[in-house]
Amino acid sequence: MDNIKLAPLILIFVEVAKKKSFTAAAKKLGLSKSAVSQQIKRLEEATRQQLLIRNTRGLVLTSVGKALLARSELLSQQLSLTLTELSSAKAQPSGSFKVAVPPFFEKGFVVPALRQLCLEFPLLTPEIVVSGTWLDLIEHNLDAAIFGGHIEDSNYRALSIGKVSEIFCASRRYIQEQGELTKIENLS
């Protein structure tokens, strides 16, 4: 017997046996009732065993059919699990992730955020580019950029992530020597 050719027939058999109905199995598999019936007939011919007894009330598994179902359900479950894992791996972001940030911004804000991102998506490889000037995303092959100030006319989507306020402080000695500052322009 050719195992590769029998595998799909066994998977169809599992559905028929679990549903105890050709019609319900056909609906679940997206096949016609006659196609499912033909596949079961092919499986019975290949194994030279009767697997199902068809009657007016539905169908009943033979002892060989029960044994085949017990062994084959695990195959069906493993295949479903494998396909689910493949789909989720495909949906998970992977590869390099390159982001530009201003100086002094990377340690306190970006590195912790990227650490969390990598915990959630372990297939990502982050790269940080520290720059005091705006870097064009396409020109520098960046996935994202954090920039202070206004962006020149651009087709990029920009989101504000916060505001930075500047606070100037002076020591008592400076104020005693220079006097109190009321305007930034008076700062020499």
Side-chain angles (χ1 to χ4, degrees):
M1 284 186 259
D2 186 356
N3 293 347
I4 300 295
K5 290 181 180 177
L6 288 181
L9 305 180
I10 291 172
L11 293 172
I12 291 170
F13 167 77
V14 168
E15 282 305 315
V16 170
K18 286 193 319 189
K19 303 274 187 207
K20 296 194 181 327
S21 162
F22 284 100
T23 305
K27 188 175 182 179
K28 170 108 193 276
L29 296 168
L31 300 170
S32 68
K33 181 181 172 184
S34 64
V36 169
S37 179
Q38 289 171 6
Q39 299 306 317
I40 296 301
K41 184 178 177 186
R42 283 183 55 208
L43 179 61
E44 287 178 330
E45 288 171 358
T47 59
R48 296 186 183 132
Q49 299 281 341
Q50 184 176 3
L51 304 172
L52 304 166
I53 298 170
R54 298 144 181 98
N55 61 35
T56 54
R57 291 190 227 165
L59 55 93
V60 179
L61 294 173
T62 65
S63 58
V64 175
K66 288 177 185 176
L68 179 61
L69 176 62
R71 298 264 183 193
S72 303
E73 268 188 306
L74 184 59
L75 171 69
S76 179
Q77 291 167 357
Q78 287 297 317
L79 181 59
S80 291
L81 181 62
T82 301
L83 294 174
T84 300
E85 286 175 1
L86 272 174
S87 293
S88 68
K90 181 178 149 186
Q92 189 177 68
S94 63
S96 66
F97 180 75
K98 192 172 177 183
V99 60
V101 299
F104 310 111
F105 213 70
E106 72 276 10
K107 289 184 183 170
F109 299 100
V110 176
V111 169
L114 284 177
R115 185 177 296 124
Q116 182 62 38
L117 184 71
C118 289
L119 287 173
E120 291 180 35
F121 303 104
L123 301 177
L124 281 179
T125 307
E127 181 182 344
I128 299 173
V129 177
V130 179
S131 174
T133 61
W134 165 253
L135 298 177
D136 184 79
L137 297 174
I138 294 173
E139 186 179 322
H140 292 90
N141 198 27
L142 297 167
D143 294 296
I146 298 173
F147 178 72
H150 295 285
I151 298 175
E152 301 269 332
D153 186 26
S154 154
N155 290 328
Y156 295 121
R157 180 175 178 215
L159 301 171
S160 175
I161 60 170
K163 294 186 184 272
V164 176
S165 299
E166 295 178 350
I167 300 174
F168 292 95
C169 302
S171 68
R172 280 188 196 151
R173 188 171 138 211
Y174 180 89
I175 293 172
Q176 286 171 352
E177 291 174 7
Q178 303 293 324
E180 206 170 304
L181 287 171
T182 54
K183 296 180 183 175
I184 199 84
E185 295 83 30
N186 295 342
L187 189 63
S188 55

